[in-house]
């Protein structure tokens, strides 16, 4: 929880905003739920697809949530999503995933290159979203079937793609393979510079 004691702007610059007429603190800004309880990892150019970047959120309980990164074309190009399907191959529908019990028995196993869903936009462009981690599929976000634009409107919350439970002790090692937020931001800046120079 952020400290809301009155202090000067310099002392609390990172957490709170000062009144324009005073150097006293009037209101505090708190980190979001995602920033408080989740560790972010990023995978860029997933499966060799330029610009198709994903953000992987690891909860403090080691469960992983797959989301779209801000640099993904869906968000970057403000695409309108026509539909989302979890029928990723002729014989595999992620909606058929049924789990039960504490160990999530019956959950489909996904590896880091396993497709989770296919997104079609109103310009007929398509994007396949991949797991990026190994584990049991706990849940897919069924809400996306009726409100697909949650993916680019609220990517880290209501627009998440899926929830995955890695094997015990394997969540942290998988997160270590991903880019940190700082590394991701540097890569995106480099990409923008390369695009500008080409």
């Amino acid at each position: 929880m952020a400290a809301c004691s009155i202090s000067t702007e310099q002392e609390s610059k990172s957490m709170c905003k000062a009144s324009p007429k005073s150097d006293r603190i009037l209101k505090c800004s708190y980190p979001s739920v995602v920033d408080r309880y989740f560790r972010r990892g990023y995978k860029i150019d997933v499966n060799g697809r330029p610009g198709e970047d994903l953000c992987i959120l690891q909860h403090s309980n080691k469960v992983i949530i797959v989301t779209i990164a801000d640099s993904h074309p869906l968000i970057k190009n403000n695409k309108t999503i026509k539909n989302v399907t979890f029928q990723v191959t002729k014989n595999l529908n992620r909606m058929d995933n049924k789990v039960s019990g504490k160990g999530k028995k019956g959950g489909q196993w996904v590896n880091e290159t396993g497709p989770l869903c296919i997104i079609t936009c109103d310009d007929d462009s398509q994007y396949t979203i991949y797991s990026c981690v190994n584990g049991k599929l706990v849940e897919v976000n069924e809400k996306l079937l009726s409100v697909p634009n949650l993916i680019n409107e609220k990517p880290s919350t209501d627009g998440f793609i899926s929830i995955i439970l890695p094997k015990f002790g394997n969540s942290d090692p998988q997160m270590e393979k991903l880019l940190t937020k700082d590394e991701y931001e540097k890569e995106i800046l480099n990409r923008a510079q390369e695009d500008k120079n080409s």
Side-chain angles (χ1 to χ4, degrees):
M1 187 179 242
C4 285
S5 57
I6 295 176
S7 59
T8 64
E9 183 178 9
Q10 280 186 332
E11 291 168 340
S12 300
K13 195 164 152 186
S14 63
M15 292 297 285
C16 304
K17 295 180 181 175
S19 164
K21 295 180 181 177
S22 164
D23 65 349
R24 297 284 208 165
I25 301 305
L26 294 182
K27 66 181 187 180
C28 296
S29 60
Y30 295 91
S32 70
V33 171
V34 172
D35 290 332
R36 273 187 286 175
Y37 298 110
F38 291 85
R39 171 185 177 191
R40 293 175 191 262
Y42 295 86
K43 182 130 183 171
I44 62 171
D45 303 331
V46 175
N47 283 1
R49 297 166 181 249
E52 295 191 25
D53 310 329
L54 298 181
C55 176
I56 307 302
L57 303 174
Q58 180 195 44
H59 190 268
S60 53
N61 67 6
K62 307 306 180 186
V63 168
I64 285 177
I65 299 178
V66 179
T67 71
I68 303 293
D70 289 341
S71 52
H72 193 285
L74 288 167
I75 296 174
K76 184 181 172 188
N77 301 330
N78 197 26
K79 298 250 186 180
T80 300
I81 299 172
K82 188 163 54 176
N83 65 59
V84 175
T85 180
F86 292 100
Q87 184 80 44
V88 293
T89 68
K90 185 180 176 184
N91 300 317
L92 180 60
N93 189 332
R94 298 300 186 189
M95 294 285 292
D96 295 336
N97 189 63
K98 304 291 179 208
V99 297
S100 63
K102 193 174 178 182
K104 307 304 176 196
K105 290 181 182 173
Q108 295 172 6
W109 180 261
V110 293
N111 61 31
E112 61 185 73
T113 59
L116 296 172
C117 70
I118 299 167
I119 299 168
T120 305
C121 299
D122 64 353
D123 63 1
D124 292 326
S125 57
Q126 277 195 336
Y127 300 93
T128 301
I129 307 303
Y130 296 91
S131 168
C132 297
V133 292
N134 301 319
K136 277 187 182 176
L137 184 62
V138 174
E139 180 183 336
V140 293
N141 188 357
E142 296 182 24
K143 201 184 289 187
L144 302 179
L145 299 174
S146 56
V147 194
N149 279 305
L150 284 173
I151 291 171
N152 48 10
E153 291 169 4
K154 298 180 178 181
S156 297
T157 55
D158 294 344
F160 77 93
I161 304 298
S162 68
I163 300 173
I164 295 169
L165 179 64
K167 281 184 180 176
F168 182 75
N170 200 25
S171 187
D172 287 335
Q174 292 194 77
M175 291 300 291
E176 295 300 325
K177 294 178 186 175
L178 303 174
L179 299 176
T180 64
K181 188 174 182 184
D182 287 344
E183 291 168 339
Y184 163 73
E185 288 172 351
K186 282 178 188 172
E187 288 290 336
I188 298 310
L189 282 173
N190 290 340
R191 182 191 287 166
Q193 192 60 46
E194 285 171 12
D195 290 345
K196 193 176 176 182
N197 294 337
S198 61

